[in-house]
Amino acid sequence: MCGIVGYIGKKDAYPVLIKGLKRLEYRGYDSAGVALYNNGDLLVYKKKGKVADLENFIKDQPTTGFLGIGHTRWATHGKPDDLNAHPHISGDGRIVMIHNGIIENYAVLKNALIKLGHKFTSETDTEVLIHLIEELQKRDNLPLEEALRMALTKVIGAYAVVLIDKKDPTKLIAARKQSPLVVGIGEDGDFYMASDATPIVEFTRRVVYLNDEEIAIAGIDGKLTIKTLGNKLQNLNIQELDLEIEALEKGGYDYFMLKEINEQVATIADAMRGRLSVEEGWVKLGGMEQYLNRILRADRIIFTACGTSWHAGMVAEYLIEDLARIPVEVEYASEFRYRNPIIKETDVVIAISQSGETADTLAALELAKEKGALTYGIVNVIGSSIARVTDAGSYIHAGPEIGVASTKAFTGQTTLLTLMAMYLAHLKGTISESYFHELISELSLIPEKVEKALKNSAIIESIAEKIKDSTNAIYLGRGYNFPVALEGALKLKEISYIHAEGYPAAEMKHGPIALIDENMPVIVIATNKSAYDKIVSNIQEVKARKGIVIAIVTEDDEIISGIADYTIAIPDTAEPLTPLLSVIPLQLLSYYIALKRGCNVDQPRNLAKSVTVE
Ligand code: F6R
């Protein structure tokens, strides 16, 4: 949802900004821009399209300057074009600003500003905010940070903003509320600001994560000041980044998505590291220990998330109810936060989020906190907002996920949720010792089984070739694999733009079967032992209507390969662990179909990685 980057210091700002924008491009890629302070003037370049288009546009223009800001946009207010692209400039040309978020009361503010004589050139909410800052700065002759502080007290909405005042080029000023912002503290007294740490890590590992309603003032004199909107000075909470630059590169793969699919052998192992021992026969989650009694006594566990993370929550419902016998509900965060849900102090609300910044998930958590529930986060991005607002939590340690379609985060989340279910089940005594030990040893084998499942890529690529021109697809799964069917369908639609739906296999008869004809690919996850015969019947029903069946089966399966048009075999495992393996061929299938349709796999249209607006 827009990437923002800023720099002040001894280096030339432009190379820092343009590289930073490339790192942040996964957050939005419909237009991009930079502003540089250059000898008393502001150079502002902005362009519809990708960061590469902007770079190309600027290549013969002056770009020197020690102070600058850059933005890559995911449009909210106003279409993606050069005018609506950021940075935005105040009416008097004095201040320049980039913004990630939404100013919800922009229309009221805009009308008031128009009455005061302000003229607007874009359709954005951001331009309204900068005119408001300009108005307050002029009216009371305020320094920029004061005008910003005053303006933000009048604003309803979410923002991470970075600003430059050309009349005072000694500082870079930023503020945040509900949209992330990190300040990097360089070795030579220079400062970096960005939506996440990825543009910063190659310059410094020392960072400060800005909290909601804080303003940061980074001076050319090497001084960093942080204060609240209430003008209260804050102590600097400097943290060390734990992030490797190699993790931000494609490492020889054509796309981040393919790299991230293949990384799952390692990332699933990383999610388990220190949390399970086959030799000693234990499972534990350090994050849960402090609140263990409260979690074990919980009346309900409520998972709240969006998109793929919500699908991981669905797997968790099957896992925790099946193994630990604790009632579970799974809620779309966007619905949960607004539907006046019943939340009690005896509930545990668990947010699942790769980015840790999803606006709806964050708001759902805040509601849960308000109602007195214990809140827990299952998050990938270290130091993210969700990780910071929850009472406790566990990181999935998947490393940066840059492809917009989530892959390794899903299996990382599912691994963690499996550990959680096993931990609770063992403590509650709801599964036998022998089954507990069987699950531990099966879980420890998952990384090598994922490696085996990945070896199917040539078969999957050939199936992709056969069905790439389809306009629709149906995904079917039962039990633990129903959420995987939903996830497979989401992966296909988001990157290949083929309409796809996931259903519990038996639901097909209640409507979707009407869609099946000789052009309809039906992807069936048929690895469940408990409902095997029923899945075979579901496949027969599809075949009887001439549907094209692509079945995900276990390696020893003989029956389904005789019925299905195509089969993809994956290693066998304990049934609660099958989602960790059955999702792999579905990720690869959507990847190859999208590739063959000429789609931009890593940056699908209309999407962005981190959804910081509701
Ligand atoms: C799909 C996808 C999205 C995210 C969703 C939640 O591939 O990536 O559906 O899962 O936007 O994002 P996080 O997990 O960051 O809260």
Side-chain angles (χ1 to χ4, degrees):
M1 287 291 110
C2 301
I4 62 179
V5 58
Y7 174 78
I8 183 166
K10 297 182 183 58
K11 288 192 265 290
D12 246 351
Y14 180 69
V16 176
L17 300 178
I18 208 78
K19 195 158 184 200
L21 289 182
K22 284 182 185 161
R23 293 238 194 270
L24 290 173
E25 199 165 21
Y26 71 91
R27 299 178 65 88
Y29 32 81
D30 57 46
S31 54
V34 293
L36 298 157
Y37 173 77
N38 177 290
N39 286 328
D41 236 324
L42 290 170
L43 304 173
V44 181
Y45 305 113
K46 29 196 218 172
K47 202 78 204 135
K48 178 176 176 202
K50 301 265 158 85
V51 176
D53 299 312
L54 174 74
E55 201 178 8
N56 200 28
F57 171 65
I58 300 179
K59 72 177 183 303
D60 300 321
Q61 307 290 331
T63 56
T64 48
F66 60 88
L67 173 60
I69 53 180
H71 188 270
T72 176
R73 180 170 185 245
W74 184 87
T76 58
H77 294 60
K79 58 188 168 303
D81 63 16
D82 295 357
L83 272 182
N84 290 327
H86 298 213
H88 286 282
I89 312 163
S90 58
D92 58 6
R94 175 173 166 181
I95 322 166
V96 72
M97 180 173 87
I98 47 176
H99 170 217
N100 168 30
I102 288 184
I103 306 302
E104 287 172 12
N105 58 337
Y106 83 101
V108 179
L109 296 171
K110 190 170 183 173
N111 283 339
L113 288 162
I114 288 172
K115 285 193 189 122
L116 291 170
H118 287 259
K119 292 202 168 42
F120 294 91
T121 54
S122 80
E123 302 155 271
T124 64
D125 50 339
T126 306
E127 200 187 8
V128 175
L129 176 57
I130 195 166
H131 277 252
L132 178 63
I133 299 166
E134 172 193 357
E135 181 62 31
L136 296 170
Q137 185 179 43
K138 260 198 216 145
R139 193 186 68 190
D140 298 331
N141 195 21
L142 296 173
L144 178 58
E145 61 269 32
E146 267 310 289
L148 173 67
R149 198 172 68 76
M150 306 277 289
L152 292 179
T153 60
K154 301 184 189 316
V155 151
I156 300 169
Y159 52 79
V161 289
V162 188
L163 303 94
I164 297 171
D165 179 350
K166 77 171 179 188
K167 289 210 177 141
D168 184 4
T170 62
K171 49 198 175 193
L172 185 64
I173 296 175
R176 79 152 264 182
K177 184 183 174 193
Q178 288 166 23
S179 296
L181 203 113
V182 193
V183 183
I185 305 171
E187 295 285 302
D188 333 321
D190 44 4
F191 294 104
Y192 307 82
M193 295 189 178
S195 302
D196 67 31
T198 59
I200 296 177
V201 65
E202 59 199 275
F203 302 108
T204 176
R205 295 194 164 267
R206 298 174 71 225
V207 294
V208 174
Y209 292 94
L210 224 57
N211 291 313
D212 271 354
E213 305 201 334
E214 281 182 352
I215 296 182
I217 304 138
I220 191 73
D221 56 0
K223 195 166 157 223
L224 176 66
T225 309
I226 295 184
K227 54 171 140 175
T228 63
L229 286 195
N231 213 12
K232 195 165 162 253
L233 273 180
Q234 301 292 91
N235 290 331
L236 293 188
N237 177 12
I238 300 175
Q239 301 188 31
E240 266 306 290
L241 279 180
D242 177 19
L243 180 67
E244 298 308 323
I245 295 171
E246 300 77 64
L248 306 173
E249 313 282 351
K250 285 196 193 129
Y253 287 94
D254 291 339
Y255 286 95
F256 280 111
M257 183 180 178
L258 188 60
K259 177 186 173 219
E260 287 157 8
I261 290 173
N262 281 284
E263 274 175 354
Q264 291 175 109
V265 178
T267 53
I268 293 176
D270 290 342
M272 284 189 244
R273 202 174 308 288
R275 292 166 170 163
L276 131 164
S277 166
V278 185
E279 296 73 32
E280 294 168 19
W282 54 257
V283 161
K284 66 165 191 264
L285 284 181
M288 289 172 72
E289 275 170 6
Q290 195 188 341
Y291 295 99
L292 214 43
N293 282 337
R294 204 162 155 195
I295 299 171
L296 286 167
R297 284 203 309 268
D299 283 338
R300 274 185 316 174
I301 296 180
I302 303 170
F303 285 96
T304 186
C306 304
T308 289
S309 298
W310 185 84
H311 295 153
M314 288 279 289
V315 177
E317 179 177 25
Y318 282 81
L319 283 163
I320 291 178
E321 291 205 345
D322 181 17
L323 304 179
R325 311 303 295 155
I326 301 173
V328 171
E329 281 172 30
V330 189
E331 296 271 358
Y332 284 116
S334 54
E335 288 298 313
F336 187 59
R337 62 181 288 197
Y338 285 122
R339 71 170 179 77
N340 193 16
I342 298 166
I343 310 172
K344 294 176 293 167
E345 286 172 10
T346 47
D347 291 331
V348 175
V349 175
I350 302 183
I352 308 172
S353 176
Q354 187 287 127
S355 62
E357 300 294 347
T358 301
D360 283 320
T361 311
L362 201 49
L365 267 179
E366 268 149 17
L367 177 70
K369 276 190 109 155
E370 222 176 273
K371 304 271 182 196
L374 176 73
T375 58
Y376 200 90
I378 293 187
V379 170
N380 189 31
V381 178
I382 295 171
S384 55
S385 302
I386 291 176
R388 287 184 295 143
V389 305
T390 39
D391 296 307
S394 307
Y395 285 116
I396 63 168
H397 298 301
E401 189 181 66
I402 294 168
V404 163
S406 188
T407 52
K408 63 176 180 172
F410 176 78
T411 48
Q413 292 161 346
T414 304
T415 303
L416 222 121
L417 293 161
T418 307
L419 289 165
M420 182 181 276
M422 288 165 62
Y423 189 30
L424 293 172
H426 191 235
L427 289 167
K428 289 190 74 177
T430 45
I431 53 173
S432 67
E433 275 297 309
S434 61
Y435 188 39
F436 178 62
H437 291 286
E438 182 196 330
L439 286 177
I440 293 181
S441 91
E442 280 297 333
L443 189 56
S444 72
L445 294 175
I446 290 290
E448 65 192 65
K449 292 188 178 181
V450 167
E451 192 163 17
K452 229 170 154 198
L454 287 165
K455 295 217 160 77
N456 283 316
S457 68
I459 303 167
I460 296 171
E461 190 174 359
S462 69
I463 300 172
E465 181 59 38
K466 299 270 182 353
I467 61 169
K468 69 175 196 308
D469 297 320
S470 307
T471 47
N472 294 285
I474 291 179
Y475 286 71
L476 301 177
R478 297 184 83 109
Y480 279 103
N481 283 308
F482 161 51
V484 180
L486 297 178
E487 175 59 7
L490 178 63
K491 285 290 89 83
L492 186 69
K493 58 190 150 195
E494 68 181 322
I495 62 168
S496 72
Y497 319 138
I498 295 175
H499 173 242
E501 297 300 335
Y503 294 100
E507 270 297 300
M508 188 183 59
K509 286 193 280 295
H510 300 281
I513 200 165
L515 295 167
I516 294 175
D517 63 13
E518 65 278 16
N519 299 315
M520 177 68 87
V522 182
I523 296 98
V524 188
I525 305 146
T527 56
N528 312 45
K529 291 196 191 82
S530 59
Y532 186 78
D533 293 342
K534 297 194 190 330
I535 290 184
V536 173
S537 307
N538 296 141
I539 293 176
Q540 296 284 19
E541 289 154 10
V542 175
K543 277 318 306 166
R545 277 128 194 118
K546 300 199 175 79
I548 310 161
V549 173
I550 298 143
I552 315 297
V553 297
T554 42
E555 278 165 347
D556 55 356
D557 191 287
E558 283 168 6
I559 299 172
I560 293 174
S561 29
I563 321 170
D565 296 86
Y566 308 100
T567 51
I568 304 166
I570 57 170
D572 194 14
T573 186
E575 196 152 322
L577 312 185
T578 51
L580 290 167
L581 297 179
S582 57
V583 76
I584 305 288
L586 304 189
Q587 295 169 343
L588 284 169
L589 187 65
S590 58
Y591 170 79
Y592 284 116
I593 292 175
L595 201 65
K596 286 172 189 298
R597 286 167 70 92
C599 301
N600 185 336
V601 175
D602 282 341
Q603 295 177 346
R605 71 183 180 206
N606 305 341
L607 288 174
K609 184 77 186 159
S610 178
V611 185
T612 53
V613 295
E614 51 176 293

